[in-house]
């Protein structure tokens, strides 16, 4: 498990580095388009470039740089697969989880959604983070066939095993929390909670 998590961390950190480079490139291209417009360049070409840039995913921004970097990398991966994130983010402070733990928790839950989504192309992401707790919920559509496979699997093994969420459970439990996985009415739902103080309990998961 530790070896697998270390490999996942290295892979995600590399994706984060690439995503950051792409963000800088997009910024540079936008600046070049502005210069082209100021110098009297072809209006048709300028419109084309601006339209292509506008079609790109809007970067996710919160008060946490670490969280932003991780979500940007996952957003790029989702976009490459023709998928979109719909986000509800309430991050009042830097998450208390270590960066590595944050990477594992988010990477496993979002990668799971990207890999197993069926019957749609939108992933719903909700994060609430403050000095007391970190709450994550990820939902993605799942086909009838996929739901049947999941329900069959529930009777055979740990719910978090098949869908690559076992590492996420390890991280949540490290912070006195847990994960929940359910599949109902064509929606696969994953939620995780971690506590800054493991004696504190948060309802509504």
């Amino acid at each position: 498990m530790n070896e697998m998590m270390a490999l996942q961390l290295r892979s995600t950190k590399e994706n984060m580095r690439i995503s950051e480079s792409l963000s800088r490139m997009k910024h540079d291209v936008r600046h070049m388009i502005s210069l082209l417009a100021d110098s009297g360049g072809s209006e048709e070409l300028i419109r084309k470039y601006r339209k292509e840039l506008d079609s790109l995913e809007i970067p996710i921004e919160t008060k946490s740089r670490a969280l932003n970097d991780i979500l940007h990398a996952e957003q790029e991966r989702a976009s490459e697969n023709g998928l979109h994130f719909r986000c509800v983010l309430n991050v009042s402070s830097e998450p208390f989880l270590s960066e590595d733990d944050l990477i594992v928790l988010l990477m496993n839950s979002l990668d799971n959604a990207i890999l197993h989504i069926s019957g749609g192309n939108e992933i719903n992401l909700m994060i609430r983070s403050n000095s007391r707790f970190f709450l994550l919920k990820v939902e993605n559509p799942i086909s009838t066939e996929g739901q049947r496979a999941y329900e069959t699997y529930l009777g055979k093994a740990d719910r978090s095993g098949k869908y690559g969420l076992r590492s996420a459970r390890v991280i949540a439990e490290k912070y006195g929390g847990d994960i929940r996985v359910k599949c109902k009415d064509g929606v696969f739902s994953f939620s995780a909670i971690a506590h800054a103080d493991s004696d504190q309990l948060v309802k509504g998961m």
Side-chain angles (χ1 to χ4, degrees):
M1 176 68 73
N2 289 338
E3 185 177 344
M4 181 183 70
M5 288 175 63
L7 182 62
Q8 291 176 327
L9 279 171
R10 287 196 297 272
S11 175
T12 299
K13 285 182 176 180
E14 177 61 16
N15 287 338
M16 288 166 60
R17 185 191 64 78
I18 294 171
S19 178
E20 187 177 353
S21 297
L22 287 173
S23 295
R24 287 197 300 267
M25 290 172 63
K26 290 174 187 175
H27 177 271
D28 292 343
V29 170
R30 187 168 280 109
H31 179 64
M32 289 168 60
I33 292 174
S34 296
L35 291 177
L36 184 62
D38 292 341
S39 63
S42 166
E43 291 185 6
E44 183 180 351
L45 202 57
I46 291 168
R47 281 197 299 271
K48 177 185 175 183
Y49 289 156
R50 282 182 171 158
K51 184 177 180 179
E52 289 179 356
L53 273 177
D54 290 342
S55 68
L56 297 173
E57 294 284 353
I58 298 173
I60 297 170
E61 295 293 341
T62 71
K63 291 184 178 180
S64 166
R65 180 174 180 179
L67 191 58
N68 293 343
D69 289 345
I70 298 166
L71 292 179
H72 288 170
E74 290 297 306
Q75 188 180 40
E76 289 284 348
R77 185 178 177 202
S79 181
E80 289 171 359
N81 287 274
L83 306 174
H84 304 283
F85 284 165
R86 175 174 290 188
C87 302
V88 177
L89 306 175
N90 184 355
V91 181
S92 60
S93 59
E94 190 76 31
F96 53 82
L97 292 78
S98 73
E99 183 173 304
D100 284 358
D101 289 344
L102 199 59
I103 288 173
V104 171
L105 185 60
L106 286 167
M107 175 190 63
N108 276 274
S109 57
L110 291 172
D111 280 359
N112 176 75
I114 292 169
L115 289 171
H116 297 286
I117 189 171
S118 55
N121 67 346
E122 193 166 85
I123 296 170
N124 292 314
L125 168 66
M126 187 276 286
I127 294 177
R128 291 178 60 197
S129 176
N130 56 37
S131 60
R132 296 184 299 112
F133 66 88
F134 182 89
L135 177 63
L136 166 71
K137 187 171 185 178
V138 180
E139 292 182 336
N140 62 270
I142 189 168
S143 65
T144 302
E145 182 181 347
Q147 184 166 333
R148 284 200 205 99
Y150 172 75
E151 290 168 349
T152 300
Y153 177 76
L154 283 182
K156 297 181 179 179
D158 184 327
R159 299 181 181 205
S160 63
K162 181 179 180 182
Y163 289 81
L165 300 173
R166 195 170 284 144
S167 297
R169 181 187 293 278
V170 170
I171 298 302
E173 290 179 345
K174 176 180 176 180
Y175 293 89
D178 199 1
I179 71 169
R180 290 183 184 176
V181 180
K182 65 180 180 179
C183 189
K184 185 177 180 181
D185 299 329
V187 177
F188 184 92
S189 175
F190 166 86
S191 57
I193 192 164
H195 304 285
D197 179 349
S198 60
D199 293 328
Q200 294 180 3
L201 299 177
V202 179
K203 297 181 179 180
M205 182 176 164

